[in-house]
Amino acid sequence: MTPDARELVKSARRVAVLTGAGISAESGVPTFRGAGGLWRTFRAEDLATPQAFQRDPKLVWEWYDWRRQWLLTVEPNAGHRALVELEDRLGDGFVLITQNVDGLHDRAGSHRVLKLHGDIWEVRCIECGRRGRDERAPLPDVPPRCECGGLLRPGVVWFGEALPEGVFERAMEQALNCDLLLVIGTSAQVYPAAGLVPLALRHGADVIEVNLEETPQSSHVTLSLRGKAGEILPGILR
Ligand code: OAD
């Protein structure tokens, strides 16, 4: 394993981590882009936009219900677990910023988590605004309804929507103040999340990228490591 990466991790007091779908790939969760990616089979605009939900809430919910059922069959992997160990060591010097909605970081035991794109296990009423958690999969009724009779929607961020209030501001603050940003398993193409990488670099942080493939950020970061998160992270974080 690259000794430089270990050294950078060891000497950092404040570490921020940005994760994407790639960290859950080894658990058996499909990514969005690339080989086997969800957007190869499905059209994002048919399923992950407010317009799609307005047009056909049942279809959109069927897709989320299918993903939720899939998630019940998988487990966090060595990559998720290595981040829990790093958090245990750094305490408040650690923050995990994730684009994932799958809940696997929570299940692994991460606590300081900022969820940029929401959480697939949360629901929100489009009429009365009530929020809640529903971990049943399959859902008994699709689309599910609120007690008020209104339609419930998944508590996730769709294309064209704003991120949950205050969450991105907190993520930016962490990117501005960290010594080291780890960027793991994200294609770094979806903004504003991807913007955290140049922000951290501009403010003097080192950035280590862990990805199977090259990304638009690879040539700008301090170290770009090619390989599986579940294999690389335990080696550089412990
Ligand atoms: P993507 O599917 O765009 O990218 C996944 C990245 O993980 C790719 O760059 C892969 O090369 C890499 N990868 C795959 N397996 C890996 C492994 N085992 N170890 C390390 N890297 C691996 O997923 P995101 O970047 O998370 O948003 O996508 C960002 C957002 O776009 C998602 O949150 C979602 C999506 O559309 C919404 O739905 C709003």
Side-chain angles (χ1 to χ4, degrees), residues 19-23 25-26 31-33 39 48 64 99-100 117 157-159 184-190 210-213 215 227-230:
T19 61
I23 194 164
E26 287 155 81
T31 59
F32 295 95
R33 297 171 185 78
W39 297 151
Y64 280 93
Q99 299 167 86
N100 298 346
H117 292 168
V157 176
W158 285 323
F159 290 104
I184 303 164
T186 174
S187 59
Q189 291 180 23
V190 175
V210 178
N211 201 305
L212 280 182
E213 297 166 3
T215 76
K228 293 185 175 179

Side-chain angles (χ1 to χ4, degrees), residues 141-159:
D141 296 303
V142 175
R145 292 204 169 258
C146 178
E147 289 155 11
C148 79
L151 263 182
L152 289 170
R153 59 162 283 173
V156 301
V157 176
W158 285 323
F159 290 104

Side-chain angles (χ1 to χ4, degrees), residues 6-41:
R6 273 209 209 107
E7 214 41 59
L8 287 174
V9 174
K10 216 166 98 184
S11 58
R13 293 243 203 95
R14 299 172 66 95
V15 178
V17 183
L18 173 66
T19 61
I23 194 164
S24 297
E26 287 155 81
S27 293
V29 183
T31 59
F32 295 95
R33 297 171 185 78
L38 290 170
W39 297 151
R40 291 256 164 133
T41 324

Side-chain angles (χ1 to χ4, degrees), residues 199-211:
L199 189 69
L201 282 168
R202 270 204 307 278
H203 282 260
D206 286 308
V207 176
I208 302 177
E209 176 183 65
V210 178
N211 201 305

Side-chain angles (χ1 to χ4, degrees), residues 4-230:
D4 278 346
R6 273 209 209 107
E7 214 41 59
L8 287 174
V9 174
K10 216 166 98 184
S11 58
R13 293 243 203 95
R14 299 172 66 95
V15 178
V17 183
L18 173 66
T19 61
I23 194 164
S24 297
E26 287 155 81
S27 293
V29 183
T31 59
F32 295 95
R33 297 171 185 78
L38 290 170
W39 297 151
R40 291 256 164 133
T41 324
F42 303 100
R43 283 170 13 119
E45 56 271 31
D46 289 342
L47 296 165
T49 63
Q51 294 77 12
F53 189 70
Q54 229 168 16
R55 207 166 41 233
D56 195 343
K58 190 168 191 301
L59 174 74
V60 172
W61 260 116
E62 277 167 357
W63 191 62
Y64 280 93
D65 199 33
W66 170 73
R67 286 172 62 198
R68 286 158 56 108
Q69 289 179 58
W70 186 312
L71 287 173
L72 286 187
T73 69
V74 307
E75 296 293 332
N77 64 55
H80 297 105
R81 288 194 295 273
L83 292 175
V84 177
E85 287 183 27
L86 183 65
E87 178 174 3
D88 287 346
R89 186 152 68 73
L90 292 169
D92 287 334
F94 175 94
V95 68
L96 175 49
I97 303 162
T98 189
Q99 299 167 86
N100 298 346
V101 298
D102 59 27
L104 288 179
H105 285 304
D106 301 325
R107 281 171 56 195
S110 292
H111 295 294
R112 294 165 178 86
V113 183
L114 295 175
K115 294 178 186 170
L116 293 182
H117 292 168
D119 186 324
I120 201 168
W121 301 106
E122 284 177 7
V123 292
R124 191 165 81 236
C125 177
I126 63 166
E127 297 298 332
C128 72
R130 189 184 72 89
R131 289 161 188 273
R133 240 185 128 67
D134 188 337
E135 297 184 355
R136 293 172 300 172
L139 284 163
D141 296 303
V142 175
R145 292 204 169 258
C146 178
E147 289 155 11
C148 79
L151 263 182
L152 289 170
R153 59 162 283 173
V156 301
V157 176
W158 285 323
F159 290 104
E161 291 188 314
L163 302 193
E165 203 171 331
V167 176
F168 191 67
E169 288 71 14
R170 285 165 64 201
M172 280 203 305
E173 203 178 295
Q174 299 292 337
L176 288 172
N177 290 315
C178 67
D179 311 316
L180 175 65
L181 175 68
L182 298 169
V183 184
I184 303 164
T186 174
S187 59
Q189 291 180 23
V190 175
Y191 284 80
L196 295 171
V197 182
L199 189 69
L201 282 168
R202 270 204 307 278
H203 282 260
D206 286 308
V207 176
I208 302 177
E209 176 183 65
V210 178
N211 201 305
L212 280 182
E213 297 166 3
E214 195 172 317
T215 76
Q217 312 281 0
S218 301
S219 58
H220 305 294
V221 300
T222 317
L223 263 181
S224 186
L225 306 177
R226 281 293 152 276
K228 293 185 175 179

